[in-house]
Amino acid sequence: MAFTIKKICCIGAGYVGGPTMSVIAQQCPDIQITLVDMNTERIAAWNNPDLDQLPIYEPGLSDIVAEARGRNLFFSTDVEKAIEEADMIFISVNTPTKNYGKGKGMAADLKYIELCARQIADVATSDKIVVEKSTLPVRTAAALKSILHNTGSSVNFHILSNPEFLAEGTAIQDLLNPDRVLIGGENKEAIQALVDIYAGWVDKDRILTTNLWSSELSKLTANAFLAQRVSSINSISELCEKTGADVQEVAKAIGMDTRIGSKFLKASVGFGGSCFQKDILNLVYIARSYNLQEVADYWEQVILMNNHQKQRFADNIIQTLFNTVNGKKIAILGWAFKKDTNDTRESAAIYVADHLLNEQADIHVYDPKVPAEKVFVDLEYLNSRPDAETRRLASVSEDPYEACKDAHAIAILTEWDEFKTYDWARIKRNMKSPSFIFDGRKLLDRAQLEELGFVYYAIGE
Ligand code: NAD
Ligand code: UDX
């Protein structure tokens, strides 16, 4: 029996649910989409008439929301109503690393997923296709199936896995032009119903269908491979700094080999974001749970290398500033984990700043999209010192020139384009001498800065 999808509900109006459903709503005006979340503030922000106040910053997102909101795209906190009415339910809730109990610090915390499944089981009175949009450990669908199929009612549930590959900062482009859409499942008609939705704007040969487990595991694997490339080039960056090789030249040279490819070879202060670390830790945990020690150790190294890169960047600042940063003002330009997003989850900036605060540095942060309070919350979450001390040592500026004024050093931690256009001569004039720049993104021009009198360090040079 073919399924007709008229109404979609998506549970979780976050960085994935929000942009993904906005694009589906834009591309499929005949389908009514309701995004629900238990976070009332977030839903209120999605409904804010002022599009600058949407809870997520993504280039192109506000135009799409403006087009579809109120037409066939709705945001609500009434989770039960949306579930009840929907033909297809996407689960797009967070799956963070567990911070308690068995698997603490490694396994994915599936409590939000399970809550969704139970809520769907409780509320549904008609057949539903349930789509895993969150990134999940392989075989999670088996648990969902067990919860949904043991309700005692006559409702049928079909479970699909449809992991999301969008990257933040380019989410809208990634959704409009995906390299591939992956759909795993068992029921052919249910798979076809989801294929038909994407086929509205995605080439059919880019829509891949697999079994459930391949789909679930492909998502963790894709993130592990991507992060591995960053850790690989970052490991070489350290060798470059010792040998006189230049990591950008090395990356270009190896990237021109079509077997290697040129993308994701940008050495940095370390990868951040809500996905890479969490998903690799989860992969490592899964491998260990099957007693595959070598597999687990292999992937764990990607994380260890990333931690090392953040640590050595901060250590280099301290060492270069004559082995003490106590009481010295250090400007941090960029707090988001990459440019064009306001997301700071696992941002390298947090760890570099924390390390400097441990040395009693006086840090001043500027980021074009991250609110001041978020910076403090991120630092306080690490629990490295009393909150009052963090707030005494750290401050956030709304103006980059203020952040850099009288600083001993500037650390560039996010590759925001606007940093390239600053009046660096003005910044130099107002800094202490010697004026150090530590470029964790290799964003700025060495020759220009040295000409102005800066002492310039970049990753991998
Ligand atoms: P997020 O934290 O931004 O959003 C998740 C939302 O789900 C939150 O707003 C939360 O309030 C809501 N929620 C949780 N449980 C709920 C419940 N029972 N009922 C209603 N609402 C509930 O997370 P995100 O970044 O959108 O990630 C979601 C999933 O997508 C994760 O599994 C993540 O790994 C995966 N993913 C994320 C990205 C990314 O770039 N952020 C990319 C691909 C995949
Ligand atoms: C990642 C995956 O790319 C995406 O497919 C998945 O759906 C979610 O996780 P995201 O974390 O949003 O996306 O951004 P991404 O562009 O992958 O960058 C992750 C981190 O790696 C950032 O901190 C970025 O600055 C860093 N990075 C990326 C590098 O340091 N060098 C690179 O060459 C690429």
Side-chain angles (χ1 to χ4, degrees):
M1 186 199 74
F3 292 94
T4 312
I5 307 299
K6 291 203 174 109
K7 290 190 178 179
I8 288 177
C9 155
C10 174
I11 311 178
Y15 283 87
V16 167
T20 307
M21 291 303 127
S22 300
V23 167
I24 297 182
Q26 184 204 36
Q27 298 296 323
C28 309
D30 296 334
I31 302 179
Q32 180 182 313
I33 300 181
T34 307
L35 257 160
V36 291
D37 204 297
M38 57 188 182
N39 181 336
T40 47
E41 256 178 59
R42 219 170 205 186
I43 290 298
W46 280 113
N47 281 322
N48 196 319
D50 179 356
L51 290 163
D52 287 338
Q53 303 300 320
L54 294 183
I56 287 166
Y57 172 72
E58 270 296 334
L61 174 65
S62 59
D63 291 343
I64 295 184
V65 171
E67 181 184 335
R69 193 172 61 182
R71 177 189 72 189
N72 65 327
L73 177 65
F74 302 92
F75 298 91
S76 165
T77 48
D78 194 344
V79 181
E80 298 199 345
K81 178 163 178 275
I83 291 174
E84 158 101 75
E85 290 179 351
D87 309 303
M88 182 179 270
I89 301 165
F90 286 80
I91 303 182
S92 187
V93 299
N94 37 331
T95 49
T97 303
K98 253 184 112 176
N99 58 6
Y100 57 90
K102 190 162 182 261
K104 179 178 174 178
M106 297 293 291
D109 191 342
L110 298 179
K111 71 178 171 197
Y112 303 106
I113 293 285
E114 180 165 344
L115 270 172
C116 289
R118 291 192 184 279
Q119 209 165 7
I120 295 169
D122 284 348
V123 171
T125 52
S126 58
D127 296 357
K128 312 277 182 207
I129 297 173
V130 177
V131 184
E132 299 175 343
K133 187 47 110 179
S134 298
T135 302
L136 298 170
V138 54
R139 296 207 69 83
T140 303
L144 287 185
K145 225 186 284 185
S146 169
I147 294 169
L148 292 169
H149 290 174
N150 282 302
T151 57
S153 77
S154 58
V155 175
N156 290 309
F157 295 100
H158 299 291
I159 297 171
L160 300 177
S161 158
N162 173 221
E164 184 47 62
F165 294 98
L166 68 79
E168 288 178 31
T170 53
I172 300 301
Q173 277 318 311
D174 295 342
L175 287 162
L176 289 171
N177 274 311
D179 285 349
R180 78 320 209 166
V181 167
L182 178 58
I183 300 172
E186 284 165 350
N187 181 288
K188 283 205 173 69
E189 287 81 18
I191 294 174
Q192 192 57 44
L194 188 52
V195 169
D196 287 345
I197 291 174
Y198 283 107
W201 76 97
V202 179
D203 267 3
K204 284 226 168 77
D205 54 9
R206 288 185 186 263
I207 304 178
L208 203 64
T209 57
T210 65
N211 79 28
L212 274 171
W213 322 124
S214 306
S215 174
E216 288 179 335
L217 186 56
S218 295
K219 176 64 202 181
L220 291 184
T221 307
N223 274 350
F225 271 61
L226 288 167
Q228 179 196 44
R229 280 176 74 93
V230 179
S231 275
S232 296
I233 198 69
N234 280 346
S235 76
I236 298 301
S237 75
E238 191 170 11
L239 200 52
C240 286
E241 289 166 28
K242 297 279 180 229
T243 56
D246 175 333
V247 76
Q248 290 206 97
E249 291 178 353
V250 174
K252 183 163 185 199
I254 65 166
M256 283 173 76
D257 185 326
T258 51
R259 293 168 305 174
I260 296 175
S262 60
K263 293 181 180 165
F264 255 74
L265 286 179
K266 183 103 179 81
S268 68
V269 54
F271 60 75
S274 64
C275 293
F276 282 175
Q277 173 168 305
K278 158 181 85 82
D279 293 345
I280 295 179
L281 288 172
N282 188 212
L283 192 66
V284 170
Y285 183 76
I286 294 169
R288 291 227 165 96
S289 73
Y290 287 107
N291 220 3
L292 306 178
Q293 285 313 335
E294 290 77 8
V295 178
D297 292 349
Y298 177 77
W299 287 108
E300 191 166 41
Q301 201 56 39
V302 174
I303 300 288
L304 297 179
M305 187 65 225
N306 197 49
N307 291 341
H308 170 67
Q309 188 77 346
K310 293 182 275 191
Q311 171 91 35
R312 81 178 185 87
F313 184 87
D315 282 341
N316 184 39
I317 296 179
I318 297 163
Q319 225 172 49
T320 309
L321 293 187
F322 317 108
N323 288 315
T324 175
V325 289
N326 188 327
K328 291 184 181 165
K329 176 170 175 178
I330 298 177
I332 292 190
L333 296 186
W335 195 257
F337 81 97
K338 62 186 281 197
K339 72 172 179 179
D340 291 340
T341 176
N342 61 351
D343 195 349
T344 65
R345 288 176 288 180
E346 295 300 331
S347 180
I350 304 171
Y351 296 93
V352 171
D354 188 61
H355 198 69
L356 296 173
L357 290 172
N358 283 343
E359 295 294 324
Q360 299 288 308
D362 179 11
I363 68 157
H364 287 240
V365 178
Y366 168 78
D367 186 287
K369 288 289 173 197
V370 178
E373 191 52 27
K374 187 80 186 80
V375 172
F376 293 114
V377 170
D378 286 341
L379 286 169
E380 286 164 8
Y381 184 78
L382 296 180
N383 250 329
S384 302
R385 67 196 70 73
D387 293 354
E389 190 183 334
T390 296
R391 286 183 188 246
R392 179 172 57 78
L393 291 170
S395 61
V396 181
S397 283
E398 287 195 354
D399 172 21
Y401 296 96
E402 268 309 305
C404 297
K405 191 163 181 275
D406 292 324
H408 289 259
I410 296 172
I412 312 266
L413 298 185
T414 312
E415 72 283 23
W416 287 103
D417 290 327
E418 66 169 61
F419 299 164
K420 290 188 274 193
T421 65
Y422 287 173
D423 180 349
W424 286 98
R426 174 179 161 200
I427 291 175
K428 171 76 188 75
R429 274 197 305 280
N430 293 325
M431 272 178 78
K432 294 255 191 293
S433 285
S435 318
F436 295 97
I437 296 187
F438 298 89
D439 190 343
R441 298 291 185 162
K442 187 62 197 113
L443 188 73
L444 305 177
D445 182 37
R446 170 185 291 279
Q448 183 208 347
L449 293 167
E450 286 181 345
E451 174 92 355
L452 292 171
F454 283 104
V455 185
Y456 177 79
Y457 288 88
I459 287 278
E461 280 184 3

